[in-house]
Amino acid sequence: MATLEINDLHVTVETDGGPTEILRGVDLTVKQGETHAIMGPNGSGKSTLAYSLAGHPKYTVTGGSVKLDGEDVLEMSVDERARAGVFLAMQYPVEVPGVSVSNFLRTSATAIRGEAPKLRTWVKEVREAMERLSIDPAFAERNVNEGFSGGEKKRHEILQLELLKPQFAILDETDSGLDVDALRVVSEGVNRVREGGDVGTLLITHYTRILRYIKPDFVHVFAKGRIAESGGAELADKLEEEGYEEYVKGGATA
Ligand SMILES: Nc1ncnc2c1ncn2[C@@H]1O[C@H](COP(=O)(O)OP(=O)(O)O)[C@@H](O)[C@H]1O
Ligand SMILES: [Mg+2]
């Protein structure tokens, strides 16, 4: 079983006032098969962590390491990270004009599997995955995320997750903006992938709501650019009652 190991990760982002440190020493180890919820107030750096792991060029790693089974992830390009099995479902999925969902999925699957999926089985695979996520088949011919509602974008992210079967899935606020029915559909999708048994999941969320559907093995409180406390599922119940106040005392949230 592979392990994703983050050690003392420091990351800055370029702002008008120069480089600003957002991540201030993140330590986290995720094994395949485990689900870790990362919870924290807005602006604490959760998305920055997600982007940094995926290799977004806006974020500069100034210290620490990220290893996937001992291999240096920070040395890898965005493509190499995806091929190594790291998947990011973005908080704000981007539009890809001129590229249909169907083409996008096939191109991604080809890149990640190292060969084009056989057309006949692939078409069936996609159709069935779309059905499970209650995505209208007509979406296959629409441009990626163009004119999608918030909920449709999130379901499309989970569609990719189900088809690409990564080793590590980073789900950044996949629950945000979903009504109860969509939340259930999306959570069931995540749980199907987890039941496969060999995905390590980083479930980034502001609210405890999604944890009613997706049971984490570990809960981490993220505040001011680092993990402030770690525990089991019971830590989420405490956050539900008490909020994040105790963690953000004494200054700004980031
Ligand atoms: N691309 C960026 N440009 C400027 N500031 C950024 C950028 N990304 C993140 N930040 C800043 O970093 C801090 C953490 O943001 P973010 O990682 O999105 O937090 P969270 O996801 O926990 O809400 C915020 O103060 C935010 O304004
Ligand atoms: Mg965020």
Side-chain angles (χ1 to χ4, degrees):
M1 285 278 170
T3 304
L4 184 69
E5 207 179 334
I6 304 166
N7 262 310
D8 197 27
L9 188 67
H10 289 254
V11 169
T12 61
V13 64
E14 200 58 45
T15 58
D16 292 341
T20 307
E21 184 168 59
I22 308 292
L23 299 188
R24 299 165 174 170
V26 177
D27 291 303
L28 180 66
T29 299
V30 182
K31 297 198 173 100
Q32 270 186 290
E34 294 177 350
T35 299
H36 293 246
I38 299 197
M39 309 194 58
N42 285 324
S44 57
K46 304 182 299 297
S47 291
T48 299
L49 175 63
Y51 280 130
S52 304
L53 295 175
H56 193 298
K58 260 205 132 148
Y59 301 88
T60 308
V61 175
T62 53
S65 64
V66 180
K67 300 252 164 78
L68 205 169
D69 248 5
E71 301 253 356
D72 188 351
V73 172
L74 300 176
E75 287 289 311
M76 299 179 195
S77 67
V78 175
D79 288 26
E80 286 167 343
R81 293 178 200 211
R83 278 199 297 276
V86 178
F87 172 87
L88 170 64
M90 286 186 282
Q91 181 171 1
Y92 304 107
V94 290
E95 296 184 0
V96 190
V99 178
S100 69
V101 165
S102 143
N103 267 332
F104 177 79
L105 292 172
R106 192 165 159 84
T107 305
S108 311
T110 303
I112 282 168
R113 296 178 188 183
E115 59 177 2
K118 293 220 167 44
L119 203 50
R120 251 195 38 215
T121 49
W122 172 250
V123 169
K124 187 160 170 271
E125 211 181 319
V126 174
R127 197 183 46 221
E128 288 173 355
M130 287 176 83
E131 237 171 66
R132 285 194 297 268
L133 290 164
S134 308
I135 298 173
D136 186 327
F139 267 73
E141 298 319 316
R142 288 185 48 184
N143 290 340
V144 173
N145 288 321
E146 227 175 39
F148 287 22
S149 72
E152 287 162 353
K153 285 182 186 169
K154 300 293 176 169
R155 271 183 281 159
H156 179 243
E157 297 285 298
I158 302 306
L159 177 62
Q160 295 167 49
L161 173 70
E162 283 211 51
L163 291 169
L164 300 178
K165 300 183 177 63
Q167 284 189 309
F168 290 96
I170 305 158
L171 309 177
D172 192 1
E173 309 256 356
T174 297
D175 50 338
S176 71
L178 297 182
D179 62 28
V180 181
D181 293 327
L183 180 64
R184 189 178 40 76
V185 166
V186 159
S187 303
E188 283 169 1
V190 174
N191 284 331
R192 275 194 296 276
V193 175
R194 290 170 70 212
E195 278 154 20
D198 43 13
V199 66
T201 308
L202 236 66
L203 188 67
I204 298 175
T205 179
H206 181 83
Y207 299 105
T208 52
R209 197 173 69 134
I210 195 171
L211 304 182
R212 270 180 241 148
Y213 301 89
I214 302 173
K215 293 287 169 210
D217 302 303
F218 304 93
V219 173
H220 309 276
V221 184
F222 207 81
K224 300 178 191 174
R226 49 191 315 207
I227 289 174
E229 190 177 346
S230 297
E234 74 290 343
L235 182 53
D237 300 329
K238 180 186 157 206
L239 294 170
E240 171 87 51
E241 277 170 33
E242 300 174 12
Y244 297 116
E245 203 165 341
E246 116 178 44
Y247 301 97
V248 298
K249 279 195 297 242
T253 52

